Amino acid sequence: MSKRKIVLAFSGGLDTSYALVSLKEQGWEVLTANIDTGGLHSGEADVVRKRAEELGSAGHFVIDAREELYSRVITYAVKANYLRNGGYPSCVGAERLVQAEKVVQAALDHNADAVAHGSTGAGADHVRYDSVIRALAPQMEIVTPIRDERLTREFERDFLLQHGFHTPDKVTTYSINEGLIGTSIGGKETYGSWDYLPEDAWTYTKSIADAPADGIELILEFVKGEIISATTPDGTPIPGTGGDAKNYAILRSLNTLAAEHGVGRGIHMGSTMVGNLARVGFEAPGMLTLIAAHRELERLTLSNRQQATKATLGNTYGDLLHEAVYYDPILDDFRAFLDSSQSRVTGAVRIKLIKGNIIPLGSRSPYSLLDAATRQGVVYGYGSSLWSGDQARAFAHMYAIPGAIAKNAGPQEI
């Protein structure tokens, strides 16, 4: 009788390494799928493959999902200026949609009986994976050793050591997930609300103390809300973005460049989809830089009502993605709104990255509302040829009336 076949979402980290050995020990024929959403650097795919083979994978696949992640998820996150609770760009959470879909497709392609992932039951990732599997392959069994057995990372490390497999100390101490959007870091300091991650827990961003004193100035150019170039002031493309670079190359290069200037570190704390508070460290230098520049361009090109409405709908859209509401048709409606809102968000933004700060220096656009006002003689602080002093006085008088009425409402003394 042939073994039952299972496809495991495999990163090579502690949780998925344990899952692979444990599943194999239980009698499964385990195939491993490593989904690259930006976390694999030069040569790392081969390292993960070797790890899978050493642990007993019956077949290993590397699936490049970076371009799909960028076009389906990241572009809309930028258009929405989405930051969870005002500060967190949902680093790896939003990537789980694409990762889970690729794992399910691999399971279907190889006639597997089940899909496995290494998520715990403490966070949101297990819900994200399960939501995709249930939607796309409801007939598939879902196997989750870490969640089901409620294992500690120390137990997993010892289990692997007993089976002859070593794991680095940092992998045991911290749970690290990296992708195009950013990197999330969880460890003992994030279990409470007081402590900050130590310097050696951060993966690639420089500390503010070690960042260059002079910083760097960049010009980011957008067309309809999408980044198309990033250059120095003299027009030189930033490294990694020239030639036949993929459409996610600018974000990838900004991650590297902004990290050198201390940009992108933070710790996010907020409610999970099940209602408890969670805290996690993150590094997202490129995404934070893109959103800051994009928001500055929107201030120049969108009306106040557009910006206010976008802030509400964009945040709702991002929250739904973060909370694994992947397939509700309302997301298509949100994306249609976001696309429409960007019809005039074309232009360039000057920014400076310095000592952990992202400072917008200026912006320009053929759809500039500021330029349109100036052409009609409206100059802030100097008056306007469109109205007279008497008209300005009358406007101020009329504008003040509702407030004056409200202030004087209520019983009056006789």
Side-chain angles (χ1 to χ4, degrees):
M1 181 177 178
S2 61
K3 292 183 179 179
R4 298 183 71 206
K5 189 184 298 183
I6 190 168
V7 174
L8 167 67
F10 186 79
S11 67
L14 180 61
D15 291 330
T16 56
S17 293
Y18 170 87
L20 173 49
V21 176
S22 177
L23 290 170
K24 187 170 179 291
E25 197 172 69
Q26 294 170 37
W28 289 95
E29 178 186 353
V30 185
L31 306 177
T32 48
N34 184 207
I35 315 302
D36 183 10
T37 51
L40 295 178
H41 301 284
S42 178
E44 289 185 2
D46 291 334
V47 173
V48 175
R49 177 188 295 278
K50 184 177 179 181
R51 176 74 168 173
E53 291 171 349
E54 288 175 349
L55 295 172
S57 173
H60 182 77
F61 322 107
V62 180
I63 302 171
D64 188 348
R66 291 173 294 178
E67 195 152 354
E68 184 172 345
L69 170 69
Y70 185 84
S71 61
R72 287 180 58 197
V73 176
I74 294 175
T75 56
Y76 285 99
V78 174
K79 289 176 182 179
N81 299 319
Y82 179 65
L83 297 173
R84 177 85 165 174
N85 292 334
Y88 177 52
S90 187
C91 288
V92 182
E95 299 181 2
R96 297 304 188 218
L97 164 64
V98 177
Q99 291 175 338
E101 286 181 342
K102 296 301 183 185
V103 172
V104 169
Q105 189 58 55
L108 293 172
D109 290 345
H110 291 86
N111 298 313
D113 302 290
V115 176
H117 56 85
S119 304
T120 71
D125 281 346
H126 70 112
V127 181
R128 295 177 177 124
Y129 269 104
D130 283 16
S131 296
V132 172
I133 299 167
R134 292 295 183 206
L136 302 185
Q139 77 281 8
M140 288 276 183
E141 182 181 349
I142 301 174
V143 181
T144 54
I146 312 301
R147 176 176 63 183
D148 296 345
E149 299 170 33
R150 302 180 65 184
L151 303 177
T152 66
R153 297 181 69 79
E154 291 74 20
F155 177 90
E156 295 170 43
R157 175 200 61 197
D158 293 342
F159 174 88
L160 289 171
L161 284 173
Q162 291 167 10
H163 285 73
F165 304 112
H166 174 72
T167 55
D169 291 338
K170 187 172 182 179
V171 171
T172 303
T173 306
Y174 294 100
S175 175
I176 299 172
N177 294 282
E178 182 179 357
L180 271 175
I181 299 174
T183 299
S184 67
I185 306 166
K188 60 182 180 180
E189 292 84 8
T190 63
Y191 299 153
S193 61
W194 186 256
D195 293 327
Y196 197 72
L197 289 170
E199 191 60 35
D200 61 0
W202 302 102
T203 64
Y204 67 101
T205 53
K206 278 191 176 180
S207 67
I208 291 176
D210 293 333
D214 295 336
I216 186 172
E217 184 176 327
L218 299 175
I219 297 176
L220 304 187
E221 187 173 356
F222 295 83
V223 171
K224 294 187 176 181
E226 295 193 26
I227 185 74
I228 63 165
S229 71
T231 66
T232 56
D234 65 2
T236 303
I238 64 172
T241 62
D244 59 352
K246 301 289 186 180
N247 61 4
Y248 54 80
I250 294 173
L251 175 56
R252 182 179 58 189
S253 296
L254 282 174
N255 271 330
T256 301
L257 184 59
E260 286 295 308
H261 292 275
V263 168
R265 290 186 184 184
I267 293 188
H268 171 254
M269 183 165 62
S271 295
T272 69
M273 61 185 71
V274 296
N276 65 303
L277 278 179
R279 191 166 179 255
V280 66
F282 67 89
E283 296 172 288
M287 197 67 175
L288 291 178
T289 300
L290 275 185
I291 289 175
H294 177 262
R295 186 189 293 114
E296 187 69 12
L297 186 58
E298 284 193 332
R299 291 186 177 118
L300 183 67
T301 58
L302 298 186
S303 71
N304 284 341
R305 288 186 176 88
Q306 281 181 299
Q307 292 181 62
T309 303
K310 257 198 82 256
T312 300
L313 295 185
N315 191 66
T316 302
Y317 170 78
D319 281 348
L320 290 175
L321 271 183
H322 183 85
E323 295 169 5
V325 184
Y326 295 137
Y327 301 113
D328 192 305
I330 189 65
L331 266 68
D332 292 327
D333 300 330
F334 280 127
R335 282 187 282 264
F337 168 79
L338 289 171
D339 284 336
S340 176
S341 76
Q342 301 299 292
S343 63
R344 294 187 173 188
V345 186
T346 292
V349 181
R350 289 174 58 221
I351 60 168
K352 186 158 189 175
L353 307 176
I354 181 169
K355 288 289 185 178
N357 294 293
I358 307 166
I359 304 173
L361 301 177
S363 59
R364 63 189 178 202
S365 170
Y367 301 103
S368 166
L369 295 176
L370 186 61
D371 290 348
T374 301
R375 286 194 297 270
Q376 296 185 59
V378 180
V379 180
Y380 179 74
Y382 289 91
S384 168
S385 61
L386 295 182
W387 59 79
S388 67
D390 287 342
Q391 288 171 324
R393 177 185 291 273
F395 175 80
H397 173 79
M398 299 296 292
Y399 192 83
I401 288 175
I405 292 173
K407 176 65 177 175
N408 291 284
Q412 302 296 304
E413 293 183 6
I414 298 177

